[in-house]
Amino acid sequence: MELSQYMEDAAKKDFFDNVMETRIVDGKIYGLPMEVEPMAMYYSHKAFSEAKLSEADVPKTWDQLIEVSKKLTKKSQFGCLFETGPGYYQNFTWYPFLWQGGGDIVTPEGNKSAFNSPATVQALKFWQDTIKAGVAPRNELGFGGGDPGANLASGYCAIQNLGIWGVSILRENAKGFEYGVFPCPIPPNGQPKSVLGGWSFVANAKSKDPENAAKFCVWALGSMSDDSIGRVVDWCIKAKSDVSPRKSALEKATELGGYKDGPMKVFKDDVFPTGRGEPRVPPEVYKAVSDAVQACQLGGANPEQQAAEASQNIDSYLAGYSGAPLR
């Protein structure tokens, strides 16, 4: 169901543009986010100290990340960690590295592949290089690359590619663990980029009562009432650790100290502004990207060949596609 028909203009404008770009079709809002979960890099203060590294050694480029990770790697600890399990989450975590070099899945019109590009090749190769260099593991602990307690706090890795939700996980499950957060490193001539994840409310247009379902979504998250704004504030800084998708809620949460210092401040001030909405693509397109990432990262496949094959598969699918433009 289109939700914007039940929203006042002030509420529509209250959501950040980079959060809404993949939730809007033809100017109409179909999903209202309750949170924003950008990706960055977490690092262990203890691991850095033991390797005689300081904050000045926090890597800003891909090459620096691999070099620093070599210094952090030892018998029982990997220098860095990226998601290795195939799935939507792995794709999500890889997209910033694609975008940093100017790459994309599809053209701006959303109807043809843009995947066969130098930016794609270098992003595939970078993740492959971390495995080849022996600084990143082929498997993660706990529930995977999104679990900082089992991987970073345990000492399994010293740097972990992870979203903002890791702050609340560590707050609850690894009290006393000291860590920092920095934006994802960039390639030569690259631009800082992150991906904005997070869940949204949507209303099924084919349900028994779609109109009331849509009105509920707007009542819950998309009105200018104090309750609606407060709900987003409480979710993002009390129940979890997220950036608010709404300007008013972010302002209120900031006033309450939710982004005062530490990792939350880094995410709000340095990472979120570089973020782009998680791509809106159907399963067939996701799978083409996933297969390329998996083949290069763990299978040692040729990145140029994988980029070309995935691009061909994407174009083949789009030739018969008639849905909303991909973003």
Side-chain angles (χ1 to χ4, degrees):
M1 279 288 285
E2 180 209 336
L3 305 179
S4 43
Q5 61 186 313
Y6 304 109
M7 297 173 66
E8 54 190 302
D9 286 342
K12 296 175 188 175
K13 295 174 182 176
D14 197 39
F15 285 86
F16 288 100
D17 290 341
N18 60 344
V19 175
M20 298 302 292
E21 59 187 340
T22 55
R23 295 171 168 116
I24 293 176
V25 179
D26 295 332
K28 298 175 182 178
I29 297 171
Y30 288 90
L32 289 175
M34 55 211 256
E35 61 192 11
V36 182
E37 297 187 316
M39 293 290 297
M41 309 296 292
Y42 290 55
Y43 69 101
S44 163
H45 285 174
K46 178 183 177 183
F48 263 56
S49 177
E50 289 178 347
K52 295 182 169 51
L53 297 171
S54 68
E55 192 173 328
D57 297 300
V58 168
K60 294 181 173 59
T61 69
W62 292 358
D63 288 344
Q64 288 173 1
L65 179 67
I66 290 179
E67 289 308 308
V68 168
S69 295
K70 288 178 180 177
K71 296 176 182 178
L72 291 164
T73 298
K74 52 188 182 182
K75 185 177 181 181
S76 59
Q77 174 182 281
F78 287 96
C80 63
L81 182 146
F82 295 94
E83 177 62 59
T84 60
Y88 283 94
Y89 177 70
Q90 183 182 46
N91 280 26
F92 168 76
T93 65
W94 180 78
Y95 291 136
F97 301 94
L98 168 69
W99 296 335
Q100 287 171 353
D104 217 326
I105 302 173
V106 294
T107 59
E109 297 76 25
N111 58 1
K112 288 187 178 180
S113 174
F115 200 68
N116 190 10
S117 70
T120 300
V121 172
Q122 70 175 3
L124 291 171
K125 185 177 183 299
F126 171 54
W127 272 32
Q128 183 181 79
D129 287 346
T130 64
I131 299 290
K132 281 186 174 181
V135 299
R138 300 177 68 88
N139 298 288
E140 310 95 354
L141 303 181
F143 61 75
D147 184 347
N151 293 289
L152 187 70
S154 72
Y156 182 65
C157 67
I159 299 174
Q160 183 171 353
N161 182 221
L162 184 68
I164 191 173
W165 62 85
V167 175
S168 58
I169 292 178
L170 291 170
R171 183 177 65 211
E172 296 298 321
N173 302 320
K175 291 179 173 64
F177 175 67
E178 296 183 357
Y179 67 97
V181 169
F182 60 94
C184 293
I186 61 175
N189 302 313
Q191 297 293 322
K193 290 289 181 183
S194 187
V195 59
L196 305 179
W199 298 97
S200 295
F201 279 23
V202 297
N204 188 343
K206 297 181 180 180
S207 62
K208 292 181 180 179
D209 194 354
E211 184 175 357
N212 276 326
K215 288 179 178 178
F216 171 79
C217 293
V218 173
W219 167 84
L221 300 174
S223 87
M224 293 306 295
S225 72
D226 289 342
D227 282 353
S228 185
I229 295 168
R231 222 169 267 122
V232 177
V233 172
D234 288 348
W235 180 255
C236 290
I237 66 169
K238 295 179 182 179
K240 288 183 68 182
S241 53
D242 294 318
V243 176
S244 164
R246 299 187 58 172
K247 299 168 188 174
S248 60
L250 186 62
E251 183 178 342
K252 180 67 174 176
T254 301
E255 290 173 1
L256 294 173
Y259 307 97
K260 181 175 61 176
D261 52 27
M264 290 293 280
K265 180 176 174 60
V266 173
F267 271 110
K268 172 184 171 286
D269 294 346
D270 301 334
V271 180
F272 174 58
T274 71
R276 172 178 161 180
E278 181 177 3
R280 181 176 73 214
V281 297
E284 292 84 355
V285 175
Y286 138 75
K287 187 65 164 58
V289 175
S290 177
D291 287 348
V293 173
Q294 280 285 299
C296 292
Q297 184 190 30
L298 299 181
N302 181 286
E304 289 88 352
Q305 182 180 346
Q306 291 301 314
E309 288 182 6
S311 186
Q312 185 176 17
N313 290 336
I314 293 169
D315 269 334
S316 295
Y317 172 75
L318 289 176
Y321 176 72
S322 61
L326 274 56
R327 290 286 184 267

